[in-house]
Amino acid sequence: MGIWRPIATRAASLFLVLIAVLVLLVLSLGATGYSDRILTAIVGEEMRAVRTALAAQIKDPDELEAAVRTQQEELERSYGLDQPWTLRMPAMVARVLVLDLGEARTVRTTTGSNSVAEIILERLPPTMLLITTSLLITAAIGVAIGTWLSTRVGSRSDRIASWIAAVSNALPGWWSGIVLIFIFGFALRWLPTGGMYSTPPPTDPLARALDMVWHAILPILTLVLVSIGPSVYVVRTMTMSVAQEDHVTLARAKGMSGGSIARRHILRVAAPPIVTGLILGLAASLGGSILVETVFGWQGMGRLYYDAIAGTPDEALIVALTFMFTLLYVIARLILEILYVLLDPRVRTGGGRRGAA
Amino acid sequence: MALLRGVLSSGVGRAGVALLLSLVVLSIGVVLTFPPGFGLTRWGDPAVWADNPKAVPPVWTNVLGGSAAEHRTLSIGAPVDVRQSGPAELRTWELPFAQGTGALPTFLSFTLGRVDYAGRPPSYRLLLVRPDGVEIPLVRDVVRGPRPGETGPYVRYADEPYRVLISSDPAVTEEAADALGAQYGVTIDPASLRGRPEVALFGVPDGAGGYTPLAGDYRFRLAFAFADPADVLAEAKVVLGGSVYGWAGTDTQGRDLMEGLLFGLPIALLIGISAAFVSTAIGTALGLISGFKGGRIDLLIQGAADIINNVPLLPLLIFMVFVLGSQLWLILLVLVAFSWPGLTITIRSMVLGLSTGSEVEAARALGASTGRILRKHIFPHTAPFVVTQMIFFVPGAILAEAGLSFLGLGDPSLPTWGQILEDGFRTGAVFLGYWWWVLGPGLALVITSVTFMLLAIALEPVVNPRLRGGDRG
């Protein structure tokens, strides 16, 4: 019981976030006329099929035109195009929710499908791979270096670390990616300059997987590079402030070893805020992945976003992607919220501490 | 003031303040010297950059052991010779320059500025006079004549200078082949010089189809025949194209990247500081209200803050800018709309602590109004934190705009660093090795952001005593 209440509260509020974003998307689409354009495109797409079907049955051109027109009007009515966009909003929210947004303009899946939902589902795993790997690496390094630094506050290495954190925070990840491509891809020729596979991709599954890892090194390095500074800094600051609390002094006075103090009395207490730091890091990597994938030509959702904006914008894809990024973010936050509840007993009993903010 | 003293007491803070001062001075200089509408009338106008070498590295790469040709522009001064021949007047200008045995100019171009004439259009020729005495005609033409129905006096090339790219003129290769062939007694096939006449213009044929560079003092001679002594040539120049240019190199359109970098500075500061200021102001105000008023308003503000605080910023930013349009003020508006909540939540909790304190209680007992209590007894306690947060937010806003611009959503009328990077990336600067195109704007972004990060880091211990060297505040 104790665990479920806070989780349910957070889940409800995150669900509210999702709905709010959806409404925001649909509102701005409607008010700017984009939703009309998307729906008209869907109708046009369907009418092409209808016309060919009708043409096979009806020979007389006038009669055909009339039949096509009634069909078109019927379709437009079913999509709500005869009503103002304000009335269509609920239906549009539902469409976005299930990614029923018709077909993409030029992008196709590897199997040739142009359905927005299928394209996005195909691009999801590469993005997840990048984000989760870099997040785990960042967290591991952050905890290791951060706790080490917290025992040396004010030392030279601590000062250097805070400088590095500042620079890392000020570094646009995508630009660092370009610089890394320059150094390792272009000048030294050690690593591939972009893409997910070599051309042609290896056929053997193992070789293929290794090839992808090979191509993922630079993008992951980039994502880690820009988030490592803040991560180390958060862990350091959090552990440091816990290390100054009375129970740690007591433990020290009892003669406990440094290692077990760090594990049982410092990290255990500092864990929840560190998890919060991770959540914030995740937000940065989700956004950052759009730019980093663009730079590296990594065929995930981020690169898809860029392709949808560049050239002739593909509204349906843009809407779907914005929603998907929000959904991903909300899901990831929920997972971390659950972690938070498991880590911090105070949340379970409903006392003291506020939720992660 | 106490804040400033605190910042200046640390090395990080001093570095930050020094950087900030130089950035501000530099951007004031840019605002005062750059033309208004720089983005559209200069940066976005290919004609302005026509005479610049395309995609060449900065000049200082020469110091690192390069031997690139420097970029030279020779403009006419006073005529060296004015002669009457009948009613006409013959004026001659000379443009001397030295050419070493090193790198040849990458191209030659001749540009004619404003010409005024009363009746008959003037005719002109441009010659290259070499150290060995050979003279090679480069341009021979007549200023554009009157249009049907137009009456004198005529003004030509005033708005749009008349430009001839000498290097790609087939007539020049023939003239060069003739002149050099006669002087050195060899036959030269003009076709062998097509598109690259400079080797012959600045060299001596070795008889085997090759050329040895001829170093020495060269001159361009421009001779104008005016039908009326009152006719005027206001401006003319010859450009010897370089293979390096300026302090930051050029892009594939020949634009001087240094100008783009400089112009980007005040814009970046404007974006960062105004977005930071407005969102901090909103965040603080809402936090104060929310914490002090409580009740339904509190619930509403905190609900909104919680929602906005939990959306992934960049995807929504991209979406909103895409839908609303990419004018700079819209980008700023969207940025502000999504970035106030974090501060609101923190300020609220600070206010909750303060409003039960004895200071506020005393003020209330003395009959102070809500506004007065907020202004005089609550806000001052949060102010140092607010200032730190504001500074902390500046790089975030600058980098967010740069990211949007990099995705092609930047304001097209104002070139920013992000847009220069986007240009470079789309052109394939990375794979063509045009490093100067990518490093410059990126470093500019990093330096500007680091400046504010340093200030924020220096402020943190001042604001949060707990971080002050280990003692518990």
Side-chain angles (χ1 to χ4, degrees):
Chain A
M1 161 65 205
I3 296 184
W4 294 110
R5 248 179 80 97
I7 291 181
T9 322
R10 285 313 290 171
S13 95
L14 284 173
F15 184 70
L16 210 64
V17 168
L18 200 62
I19 296 300
V21 169
L22 264 176
V23 170
L24 179 72
L25 289 192
V26 173
L27 261 179
S28 34
L29 284 176
T32 49
Y34 273 105
S35 91
D36 284 338
R37 243 177 286 172
I38 295 177
L39 289 177
T40 315
I42 298 178
V43 169
E45 200 77 43
E46 290 190 20
M47 278 314 293
R48 228 171 296 156
V50 169
R51 182 183 280 271
T52 11
L54 284 176
Q57 298 163 6
I58 309 170
K59 291 292 167 232
D60 179 45
D62 288 338
E63 210 175 308
L64 176 65
E65 277 310 309
V68 166
R69 201 164 313 121
T70 42
Q71 281 282 347
Q72 175 147 8
E73 276 164 15
E74 206 164 292
L75 258 178
E76 280 175 359
R77 203 169 316 122
S78 76
Y79 280 104
L81 270 171
D82 55 337
Q83 300 163 336
W85 64 270
T86 36
L87 293 179
R88 271 201 320 266
M89 266 189 55
M92 193 67 190
V93 169
R95 302 182 75 86
V96 178
L97 205 53
V98 293
L99 293 180
D100 175 17
L101 289 162
E103 288 156 354
R105 255 194 212 122
T106 50
V107 187
R108 299 281 179 275
T109 63
T110 42
T111 51
S113 160
N114 60 354
S115 128
V116 166
E118 281 176 37
I119 292 173
I120 288 192
L121 290 182
E122 187 186 70
R123 299 295 191 96
L124 183 60
T127 299
M128 294 305 294
L129 181 87
L130 272 198
I131 293 179
T132 47
T133 316
S134 57
L135 193 67
L136 288 179
I137 295 177
T138 309
I141 300 179
V143 168
I145 299 184
T147 44
W148 180 73
L149 280 180
S150 71
T151 59
R152 288 171 179 70
V153 172
S155 70
R156 177 193 292 241
S157 42
D158 184 46
R159 280 203 304 276
I160 293 174
S162 67
W163 276 85
I164 293 176
V167 174
S168 161
N169 226 341
L171 215 55
W174 41 282
W175 179 71
S176 332
I178 296 180
V179 173
L180 287 180
I181 294 179
F182 250 131
I183 298 172
F184 294 104
F186 185 78
L188 298 174
R189 301 196 176 278
W190 288 354
L191 289 164
T193 53
M196 268 169 65
Y197 297 104
S198 312
T199 38
T203 42
D204 176 53
L206 180 68
R208 206 175 143 84
L210 284 176
D211 191 43
M212 188 164 90
V213 171
W214 179 239
H215 282 77
I217 293 177
L218 275 188
I220 288 176
L221 183 64
T222 308
L223 283 172
V224 169
L225 204 65
V226 287
S227 49
I228 192 71
S231 160
V232 168
Y233 202 74
V234 164
V235 174
R236 164 208 174 262
T237 311
M238 289 305 163
T239 30
M240 186 189 81
S241 62
V242 173
Q244 291 167 353
E245 273 177 29
D246 294 336
H247 73 274
V248 179
T249 319
L250 178 70
R252 215 163 262 144
K254 283 198 299 192
M256 284 176 75
S257 74
S260 94
I261 290 178
R263 265 195 318 279
R264 289 173 55 189
H265 291 282
I266 300 181
L267 267 187
R268 185 73 182 82
V269 179
I274 291 174
V275 168
T276 309
L278 273 181
I279 300 178
L280 297 179
L282 179 81
S285 349
L286 256 180
S289 77
I290 297 179
L291 291 156
V292 169
E293 282 183 16
T294 299
V295 166
F296 285 96
W298 185 263
Q299 297 298 319
M301 289 188 358
R303 175 67 193 207
L304 185 62
Y305 215 147
Y306 175 75
D307 291 337
I309 297 169
T312 340
D314 197 325
E315 293 93 3
L317 267 183
I318 293 173
V319 176
L321 282 168
T322 313
F323 172 68
M324 273 306 282
F325 271 107
T326 314
L327 184 66
L328 267 189
Y329 183 65
V330 163
I331 292 175
R333 286 213 51 161
L334 192 61
I335 295 174
L336 290 171
E337 294 291 351
I338 294 173
L339 267 180
Y340 195 103
V341 171
L342 294 179
L343 284 172
D344 192 344
R346 280 169 294 189
V347 180
R348 259 176 273 171
T349 53
R353 192 169 285 263
R354 285 173 298 127
Chain B
M1 279 308 99
L3 275 184
L4 188 65
R5 219 172 303 128
V7 169
L8 285 177
S9 69
S10 67
V12 175
R14 280 195 293 274
V17 170
L19 273 170
L20 181 67
L21 280 181
S22 27
L23 292 183
V24 167
V25 167
L26 200 57
S27 53
I28 290 176
V30 170
V31 170
L32 292 180
T33 51
F34 275 49
F38 169 85
L40 293 177
T41 59
R42 191 166 166 83
W43 189 253
D45 181 4
V48 174
W49 312 101
D51 267 335
N52 279 1
K54 317 282 181 252
V56 295
V59 168
W60 48 263
T61 50
N62 260 353
V63 181
L64 308 174
S67 61
E70 64 173 310
H71 189 77
R72 284 178 287 186
T73 303
L74 311 170
S75 296
I76 57 163
V80 291
D81 185 51
V82 179
R83 192 173 304 172
Q84 302 295 328
S85 84
E89 188 175 282
L90 212 64
R91 267 172 253 170
T92 309
W93 287 268
E94 292 209 329
L95 304 167
F97 66 100
Q99 174 65 37
T101 51
L104 294 173
T106 50
F107 66 87
L108 290 180
S109 77
F110 171 64
T111 308
L112 210 50
R114 179 176 169 141
V115 180
D116 293 82
Y117 64 93
R120 276 178 39 152
S123 64
Y124 58 92
R125 2 186 246 140
L126 180 73
L127 290 165
L128 175 67
V129 184
R130 301 173 13 130
D132 57 0
V134 177
E135 298 188 0
I136 304 172
L138 300 175
V139 182
R140 191 196 300 266
D141 208 347
V142 178
V143 174
R144 185 153 40 79
R147 283 184 292 273
E150 193 188 7
T151 53
Y154 308 96
V155 179
R156 290 291 177 265
Y157 314 138
D159 299 327
E160 208 175 303
Y162 176 71
R163 180 172 181 268
V164 185
L165 185 58
I166 296 170
S167 305
S168 65
D169 185 356
V172 170
T173 60
E174 272 167 39
E175 296 282 6
D178 284 355
L180 291 176
Q183 172 84 6
Y184 292 100
V186 290
T187 37
I188 299 169
D189 176 18
S192 67
L193 298 174
R194 253 325 128 68
R196 192 79 189 98
E198 286 83 9
V199 283
L201 293 178
F202 301 104
V204 173
D206 56 11
Y211 296 85
T212 42
L214 175 65
D217 294 322
Y218 288 77
R219 283 189 312 254
F220 288 111
R221 184 182 297 147
L222 176 64
F224 251 81
F226 295 102
D228 187 316
D231 293 351
V232 182
L233 165 67
E235 218 186 314
K237 65 177 177 183
V238 180
V239 172
L240 296 132
S243 49
V244 288
Y245 188 91
W247 287 99
T250 63
D251 65 10
T252 44
Q253 290 185 49
R255 296 192 281 206
D256 181 0
L257 288 171
M258 197 63 208
E259 276 188 36
L261 290 185
L262 283 174
F263 188 74
L265 177 60
I267 300 189
L269 291 183
L270 175 82
I271 291 169
I273 294 174
S274 58
F277 183 80
V278 177
S279 64
T280 319
I282 295 178
T284 310
L286 288 179
L288 287 175
I289 295 171
S290 178
F292 198 72
K293 285 268 182 192
R296 214 174 277 171
I297 296 178
D298 180 31
L299 222 60
L300 191 75
I301 293 178
Q302 289 310 306
D306 192 42
I307 288 177
I308 299 180
N309 203 29
N310 281 314
V311 301
L313 180 63
L314 192 65
L316 270 180
L317 213 55
I318 294 173
F319 174 80
M320 293 307 289
V321 172
F322 170 75
V323 168
L324 295 176
S326 46
Q327 287 98 311
L328 186 61
W329 68 271
L330 273 174
I331 296 178
L332 286 177
L333 195 74
V334 175
L335 206 54
V336 166
F338 283 109
S339 40
W340 55 269
L343 189 59
T344 297
I345 294 171
T346 322
I347 293 287
R348 172 181 177 267
S349 66
M350 291 173 89
V351 173
L352 284 183
L354 287 167
S355 57
T356 52
S358 49
E359 184 184 338
V360 172
E361 203 177 320
R364 212 175 260 146
L366 288 169
S369 67
T370 308
R372 194 184 157 80
I373 293 176
L374 279 178
R375 262 198 330 275
K376 296 273 175 184
H377 301 288
I378 294 184
F379 175 69
H381 294 285
T382 63
F385 177 75
V386 168
V387 171
T388 313
Q389 285 303 303
M390 185 163 85
I391 293 175
F392 209 71
F393 185 72
V394 173
I398 294 177
L399 294 183
E401 190 281 335
L404 283 176
S405 289
F406 183 71
L407 290 172
L409 292 169
D411 189 330
S413 66
L414 289 169
T416 61
W417 294 329
Q419 288 181 43
I420 297 177
L421 279 165
E422 188 229 351
D423 275 349
F425 183 70
R426 282 211 185 173
T427 318
V430 183
F431 309 105
L432 296 167
Y434 301 157
W435 50 267
W436 58 92
W437 198 347
V438 170
L439 282 187
L443 281 178
L445 275 174
V446 172
I447 291 171
T448 315
S449 316
V450 163
T451 302
F452 290 95
M453 291 304 300
L454 291 180
L455 287 176
I457 286 183
L459 267 174
E460 212 147 29
V462 182
V463 177
N464 185 355
R466 200 167 164 163
L467 294 174
R468 215 179 283 152
D471 63 45
R472 298 187 58 182

